[in-house]
PDB file of all heavy atoms in Angstrom:
ATOM      1  N   GLY A 128     105.060  91.856  87.346  1.00  0.00           N
ATOM      2  CA  GLY A 128     105.392  93.261  87.213  1.00  0.00           C
ATOM      3  C   GLY A 128     104.945  93.912  85.918  1.00  0.00           C
ATOM      4  O   GLY A 128     105.064  95.132  85.771  1.00  0.00           O
ATOM      5  N   GLN A 129     104.412  93.149  84.962  1.00  0.00           N
ATOM      6  CA  GLN A 129     103.987  93.718  83.677  1.00  0.00           C
ATOM      7  C   GLN A 129     102.468  93.909  83.671  1.00  0.00           C
ATOM      8  O   GLN A 129     101.718  93.033  84.104  1.00  0.00           O
ATOM      9  CB  GLN A 129     104.390  92.804  82.516  1.00  0.00           C
ATOM     10  CG  GLN A 129     105.891  92.710  82.312  1.00  0.00           C
ATOM     11  CD  GLN A 129     106.251  91.929  81.053  1.00  0.00           C
ATOM     12  OE1 GLN A 129     105.441  91.179  80.528  1.00  0.00           O
ATOM     13  NE2 GLN A 129     107.469  92.122  80.556  1.00  0.00           N
ATOM     14  N   ASP A 130     102.041  95.064  83.155  1.00  0.00           N
ATOM     15  CA  ASP A 130     100.618  95.386  83.099  1.00  0.00           C
ATOM     16  C   ASP A 130      99.910  94.457  82.110  1.00  0.00           C
ATOM     17  O   ASP A 130     100.251  94.408  80.926  1.00  0.00           O
ATOM     18  CB  ASP A 130     100.441  96.845  82.681  1.00  0.00           C
ATOM     19  CG  ASP A 130      98.990  97.322  82.821  1.00  0.00           C
ATOM     20  OD1 ASP A 130      98.103  96.467  83.019  1.00  0.00           O
ATOM     21  OD2 ASP A 130      98.754  98.537  82.726  1.00  0.00           O
ATOM     22  N   GLN A 131      98.931  93.717  82.603  1.00  0.00           N
ATOM     23  CA  GLN A 131      98.165  92.766  81.783  1.00  0.00           C
ATOM     24  C   GLN A 131      96.671  93.065  81.827  1.00  0.00           C
ATOM     25  O   GLN A 131      95.865  92.229  81.433  1.00  0.00           O
ATOM     26  CB  GLN A 131      98.411  91.336  82.282  1.00  0.00           C
ATOM     27  CG  GLN A 131      99.841  90.877  82.229  1.00  0.00           C
ATOM     28  CD  GLN A 131     100.290  90.551  80.806  1.00  0.00           C
ATOM     29  OE1 GLN A 131      99.506  90.616  79.856  1.00  0.00           O
ATOM     30  NE2 GLN A 131     101.561  90.236  80.651  1.00  0.00           N
ATOM     31  N   THR A 132      96.296  94.261  82.257  1.00  0.00           N
ATOM     32  CA  THR A 132      94.879  94.572  82.438  1.00  0.00           C
ATOM     33  C   THR A 132      94.077  94.339  81.163  1.00  0.00           C
ATOM     34  O   THR A 132      93.022  93.705  81.176  1.00  0.00           O
ATOM     35  CB  THR A 132      94.710  96.024  82.903  1.00  0.00           C
ATOM     36  OG1 THR A 132      95.558  96.265  84.030  1.00  0.00           O
ATOM     37  CG2 THR A 132      93.263  96.290  83.300  1.00  0.00           C
ATOM     38  N   VAL A 133      94.575  94.858  80.054  1.00  0.00           N
ATOM     39  CA  VAL A 133      93.875  94.709  78.773  1.00  0.00           C
ATOM     40  C   VAL A 133      93.987  93.281  78.262  1.00  0.00           C
ATOM     41  O   VAL A 133      93.007  92.679  77.814  1.00  0.00           O
ATOM     42  CB  VAL A 133      94.427  95.710  77.740  1.00  0.00           C
ATOM     43  CG1 VAL A 133      93.770  95.471  76.377  1.00  0.00           C
ATOM     44  CG2 VAL A 133      94.187  97.137  78.196  1.00  0.00           C
ATOM     45  N   ASN A 134      95.193  92.722  78.338  1.00  0.00           N
ATOM     46  CA  ASN A 134      95.421  91.373  77.839  1.00  0.00           C
ATOM     47  C   ASN A 134      94.583  90.344  78.592  1.00  0.00           C
ATOM     48  O   ASN A 134      94.168  89.329  78.024  1.00  0.00           O
ATOM     49  CB  ASN A 134      96.899  91.013  77.958  1.00  0.00           C
ATOM     50  CG  ASN A 134      97.260  89.740  77.212  1.00  0.00           C
ATOM     51  OD1 ASN A 134      96.742  89.474  76.132  1.00  0.00           O
ATOM     52  ND2 ASN A 134      98.154  88.955  77.789  1.00  0.00           N
ATOM     53  N   PHE A 135      94.328  90.605  79.860  1.00  0.00           N
ATOM     54  CA  PHE A 135      93.533  89.689  80.678  1.00  0.00           C
ATOM     55  C   PHE A 135      92.049  90.072  80.696  1.00  0.00           C
ATOM     56  O   PHE A 135      91.283  89.564  81.510  1.00  0.00           O
ATOM     57  CB  PHE A 135      94.064  89.649  82.107  1.00  0.00           C
ATOM     58  CG  PHE A 135      95.377  88.927  82.267  1.00  0.00           C
ATOM     59  CD1 PHE A 135      96.023  88.362  81.178  1.00  0.00           C
ATOM     60  CD2 PHE A 135      95.972  88.810  83.515  1.00  0.00           C
ATOM     61  CE1 PHE A 135      97.235  87.701  81.318  1.00  0.00           C
ATOM     62  CE2 PHE A 135      97.170  88.145  83.672  1.00  0.00           C
ATOM     63  CZ  PHE A 135      97.813  87.589  82.572  1.00  0.00           C
ATOM     64  N   LEU A 136      91.642  90.936  79.799  1.00  0.00           N
ATOM     65  CA  LEU A 136      90.229  91.307  79.629  1.00  0.00           C
ATOM     66  C   LEU A 136      89.641  91.921  80.899  1.00  0.00           C
ATOM     67  O   LEU A 136      88.463  91.711  81.231  1.00  0.00           O
ATOM     68  CB  LEU A 136      89.388  90.090  79.210  1.00  0.00           C
ATOM     69  CG  LEU A 136      89.909  89.262  78.028  1.00  0.00           C
ATOM     70  CD1 LEU A 136      89.008  88.054  77.790  1.00  0.00           C
ATOM     71  CD2 LEU A 136      90.024  90.096  76.778  1.00  0.00           C
ATOM     72  N   GLY A 137      90.454  92.673  81.638  1.00  0.00           N
ATOM     73  CA  GLY A 137      90.002  93.295  82.873  1.00  0.00           C
ATOM     74  C   GLY A 137      88.873  94.286  82.633  1.00  0.00           C
ATOM     75  O   GLY A 137      88.973  95.166  81.778  1.00  0.00           O
ATOM     76  N   GLN A 138      87.825  94.169  83.394  1.00  0.00           N
ATOM     77  CA  GLN A 138      86.644  95.027  83.206  1.00  0.00           C
ATOM     78  C   GLN A 138      85.840  95.090  84.501  1.00  0.00           C
ATOM     79  O   GLN A 138      85.603  94.072  85.147  1.00  0.00           O
ATOM     80  CB  GLN A 138      85.767  94.459  82.080  1.00  0.00           C
ATOM     81  CG  GLN A 138      84.594  95.335  81.708  1.00  0.00           C
ATOM     82  CD  GLN A 138      83.803  94.739  80.551  1.00  0.00           C
ATOM     83  OE1 GLN A 138      84.063  93.633  80.112  1.00  0.00           O
ATOM     84  NE2 GLN A 138      82.822  95.471  80.068  1.00  0.00           N
ATOM     85  N   GLU A 139      85.444  96.333  84.867  1.00  0.00           N
ATOM     86  CA  GLU A 139      84.613  96.477  86.054  1.00  0.00           C
ATOM     87  C   GLU A 139      83.168  96.119  85.710  1.00  0.00           C
ATOM     88  O   GLU A 139      82.632  96.531  84.684  1.00  0.00           O
ATOM     89  CB  GLU A 139      84.681  97.904  86.602  1.00  0.00           C
ATOM     90  CG  GLU A 139      83.933  98.069  87.920  1.00  0.00           C
ATOM     91  CD  GLU A 139      84.169  99.419  88.586  1.00  0.00           C
ATOM     92  OE1 GLU A 139      85.330  99.888  88.614  1.00  0.00           O
ATOM     93  OE2 GLU A 139      83.173  99.996  89.078  1.00  0.00           O
ATOM     94  N   LYS A 140      82.527  95.354  86.627  1.00  0.00           N
ATOM     95  CA  LYS A 140      81.156  94.894  86.396  1.00  0.00           C
ATOM     96  C   LYS A 140      80.332  95.076  87.668  1.00  0.00           C
ATOM     97  O   LYS A 140      80.890  95.202  88.760  1.00  0.00           O
ATOM     98  CB  LYS A 140      81.145  93.427  85.971  1.00  0.00           C
ATOM     99  CG  LYS A 140      81.835  93.170  84.636  1.00  0.00           C
ATOM    100  CD  LYS A 140      81.708  91.710  84.215  1.00  0.00           C
ATOM    101  CE  LYS A 140      82.324  91.474  82.849  1.00  0.00           C
ATOM    102  NZ  LYS A 140      82.185  90.062  82.398  1.00  0.00           N
ATOM    103  N   ASP A 141      79.005  95.089  87.478  1.00  0.00           N
ATOM    104  CA  ASP A 141      78.122  95.251  88.636  1.00  0.00           C
ATOM    105  C   ASP A 141      77.500  93.931  89.087  1.00  0.00           C
ATOM    106  O   ASP A 141      76.645  93.901  89.955  1.00  0.00           O
ATOM    107  CB  ASP A 141      77.025  96.277  88.348  1.00  0.00           C
ATOM    108  CG  ASP A 141      76.184  95.907  87.132  1.00  0.00           C
ATOM    109  OD1 ASP A 141      76.357  94.789  86.609  1.00  0.00           O
ATOM    110  OD2 ASP A 141      75.363  96.741  86.714  1.00  0.00           O
ATOM    111  N   LYS A 142      77.947  92.827  88.466  1.00  0.00           N
ATOM    112  CA  LYS A 142      77.520  91.501  88.895  1.00  0.00           C
ATOM    113  C   LYS A 142      78.692  90.545  88.807  1.00  0.00           C
ATOM    114  O   LYS A 142      79.528  90.646  87.908  1.00  0.00           O
ATOM    115  CB  LYS A 142      76.362  90.974  88.037  1.00  0.00           C
ATOM    116  CG  LYS A 142      75.013  91.568  88.345  1.00  0.00           C
ATOM    117  CD  LYS A 142      73.922  90.875  87.541  1.00  0.00           C
ATOM    118  CE  LYS A 142      72.547  91.462  87.852  1.00  0.00           C
ATOM    119  NZ  LYS A 142      71.484  90.779  87.074  1.00  0.00           N
ATOM    120  N   SER A 143      78.727  89.595  89.743  1.00  0.00           N
ATOM    121  CA  SER A 143      79.787  88.595  89.716  1.00  0.00           C
ATOM    122  C   SER A 143      79.447  87.506  88.701  1.00  0.00           C
ATOM    123  O   SER A 143      78.361  87.488  88.125  1.00  0.00           O
ATOM    124  CB  SER A 143      79.954  87.968  91.101  1.00  0.00           C
ATOM    125  OG  SER A 143      78.831  87.140  91.398  1.00  0.00           O
ATOM    126  N   MET A 144      80.387  86.590  88.506  1.00  0.00           N
ATOM    127  CA  MET A 144      80.141  85.455  87.619  1.00  0.00           C
ATOM    128  C   MET A 144      78.955  84.619  88.101  1.00  0.00           C
ATOM    129  O   MET A 144      78.281  83.973  87.303  1.00  0.00           O
ATOM    130  CB  MET A 144      81.395  84.568  87.535  1.00  0.00           C
ATOM    131  CG  MET A 144      82.547  85.185  86.795  1.00  0.00           C
ATOM    132  SD  MET A 144      83.987  84.075  86.757  1.00  0.00           S
ATOM    133  CE  MET A 144      84.627  84.276  88.426  1.00  0.00           C
ATOM    134  N   MET A 145      78.704  84.644  89.394  1.00  0.00           N
ATOM    135  CA  MET A 145      77.601  83.879  89.973  1.00  0.00           C
ATOM    136  C   MET A 145      76.299  84.662  89.987  1.00  0.00           C
ATOM    137  O   MET A 145      75.286  84.204  90.505  1.00  0.00           O
ATOM    138  CB  MET A 145      77.950  83.448  91.405  1.00  0.00           C
ATOM    139  CG  MET A 145      79.247  82.663  91.505  1.00  0.00           C
ATOM    140  SD  MET A 145      79.267  81.195  90.448  1.00  0.00           S
ATOM    141  CE  MET A 145      78.048  80.200  91.252  1.00  0.00           C
ATOM    142  N   GLY A 146      76.330  85.901  89.424  1.00  0.00           N
ATOM    143  CA  GLY A 146      75.112  86.693  89.332  1.00  0.00           C
ATOM    144  C   GLY A 146      74.802  87.536  90.543  1.00  0.00           C
ATOM    145  O   GLY A 146      73.709  88.111  90.635  1.00  0.00           O
ATOM    146  N   VAL A 147      75.760  87.634  91.487  1.00  0.00           N
ATOM    147  CA  VAL A 147      75.555  88.432  92.701  1.00  0.00           C
ATOM    148  C   VAL A 147      75.871  89.895  92.402  1.00  0.00           C
ATOM    149  O   VAL A 147      76.926  90.205  91.843  1.00  0.00           O
ATOM    150  CB  VAL A 147      76.447  87.922  93.848  1.00  0.00           C
ATOM    151  CG1 VAL A 147      76.235  88.780  95.103  1.00  0.00           C
ATOM    152  CG2 VAL A 147      76.142  86.453  94.133  1.00  0.00           C
ATOM    153  N   GLU A 148      74.949  90.785  92.757  1.00  0.00           N
ATOM    154  CA  GLU A 148      75.162  92.204  92.500  1.00  0.00           C
ATOM    155  C   GLU A 148      76.221  92.774  93.437  1.00  0.00           C
ATOM    156  O   GLU A 148      76.364  92.366  94.588  1.00  0.00           O
ATOM    157  CB  GLU A 148      73.845  92.974  92.664  1.00  0.00           C
ATOM    158  CG  GLU A 148      72.806  92.643  91.605  1.00  0.00           C
ATOM    159  CD  GLU A 148      71.573  93.517  91.698  1.00  0.00           C
ATOM    160  OE1 GLU A 148      71.512  94.332  92.653  1.00  0.00           O
ATOM    161  OE2 GLU A 148      70.692  93.388  90.832  1.00  0.00           O
ATOM    162  N   GLY A 149      76.960  93.732  92.914  1.00  0.00           N
ATOM    163  CA  GLY A 149      78.023  94.365  93.682  1.00  0.00           C
ATOM    164  C   GLY A 149      78.942  95.116  92.750  1.00  0.00           C
ATOM    165  O   GLY A 149      78.586  95.430  91.604  1.00  0.00           O
ATOM    166  N   ARG A 150      80.146  95.388  93.220  1.00  0.00           N
ATOM    167  CA  ARG A 150      81.136  96.081  92.394  1.00  0.00           C
ATOM    168  C   ARG A 150      82.355  95.176  92.286  1.00  0.00           C
ATOM    169  O   ARG A 150      82.980  94.833  93.294  1.00  0.00           O
ATOM    170  CB  ARG A 150      81.514  97.412  93.030  1.00  0.00           C
ATOM    171  CG  ARG A 150      82.294  98.335  92.094  1.00  0.00           C
ATOM    172  CD  ARG A 150      82.453  99.708  92.703  1.00  0.00           C
ATOM    173  NE  ARG A 150      83.107 100.624  91.790  1.00  0.00           N
ATOM    174  CZ  ARG A 150      83.389 101.895  92.077  1.00  0.00           C
ATOM    175  NH1 ARG A 150      83.076 102.389  93.286  1.00  0.00           N
ATOM    176  NH2 ARG A 150      83.966 102.664  91.190  1.00  0.00           N
ATOM    177  N   TYR A 151      82.672  94.786  91.041  1.00  0.00           N
ATOM    178  CA  TYR A 151      83.703  93.786  90.830  1.00  0.00           C
ATOM    179  C   TYR A 151      84.653  94.202  89.705  1.00  0.00           C
ATOM    180  O   TYR A 151      84.254  94.881  88.754  1.00  0.00           O
ATOM    181  CB  TYR A 151      83.096  92.438  90.433  1.00  0.00           C
ATOM    182  CG  TYR A 151      82.154  91.841  91.440  1.00  0.00           C
ATOM    183  CD1 TYR A 151      80.799  92.175  91.424  1.00  0.00           C
ATOM    184  CD2 TYR A 151      82.604  90.929  92.382  1.00  0.00           C
ATOM    185  CE1 TYR A 151      79.919  91.613  92.333  1.00  0.00           C
ATOM    186  CE2 TYR A 151      81.720  90.365  93.295  1.00  0.00           C
ATOM    187  CZ  TYR A 151      80.379  90.702  93.268  1.00  0.00           C
ATOM    188  OH  TYR A 151      79.510  90.149  94.166  1.00  0.00           O
ATOM    189  N   LEU A 152      85.880  93.744  89.835  1.00  0.00           N
ATOM    190  CA  LEU A 152      86.779  93.700  88.689  1.00  0.00           C
ATOM    191  C   LEU A 152      86.816  92.248  88.240  1.00  0.00           C
ATOM    192  O   LEU A 152      87.164  91.355  89.026  1.00  0.00           O
ATOM    193  CB  LEU A 152      88.187  94.165  89.037  1.00  0.00           C
ATOM    194  CG  LEU A 152      89.190  93.962  87.886  1.00  0.00           C
ATOM    195  CD1 LEU A 152      88.917  94.933  86.748  1.00  0.00           C
ATOM    196  CD2 LEU A 152      90.632  94.066  88.347  1.00  0.00           C
ATOM    197  N   ASN A 153      86.451  91.999  87.004  1.00  0.00           N
ATOM    198  CA  ASN A 153      86.495  90.651  86.439  1.00  0.00           C
ATOM    199  C   ASN A 153      87.640  90.591  85.449  1.00  0.00           C
ATOM    200  O   ASN A 153      87.794  91.471  84.604  1.00  0.00           O
ATOM    201  CB  ASN A 153      85.174  90.311  85.743  1.00  0.00           C
ATOM    202  CG  ASN A 153      85.229  88.967  85.044  1.00  0.00           C
ATOM    203  OD1 ASN A 153      85.540  88.888  83.860  1.00  0.00           O
ATOM    204  ND2 ASN A 153      84.923  87.903  85.773  1.00  0.00           N
TER     205      ASN A 153
END
């Protein structure tokens, strides 16, 4: 229930960890 977006380094990216293009929240 507690917001951890910043603490967990949440960031939208256009590639996955595996290098696949798309729209992701990492």
Side-chain angles (χ1 to χ4, degrees):
Q129 293 187 341
D130 189 348
Q131 300 285 357
T132 309
V133 175
N134 191 37
F135 288 0
L136 310 177
Q138 186 178 6
E139 186 171 317
K140 296 184 177 181
D141 58 8
K142 283 186 180 180
S143 70
M144 290 180 283
M145 304 304 292
V147 179
E148 292 186 356
R150 193 171 184 181
Y151 300 87
L152 173 71
N153 175 267

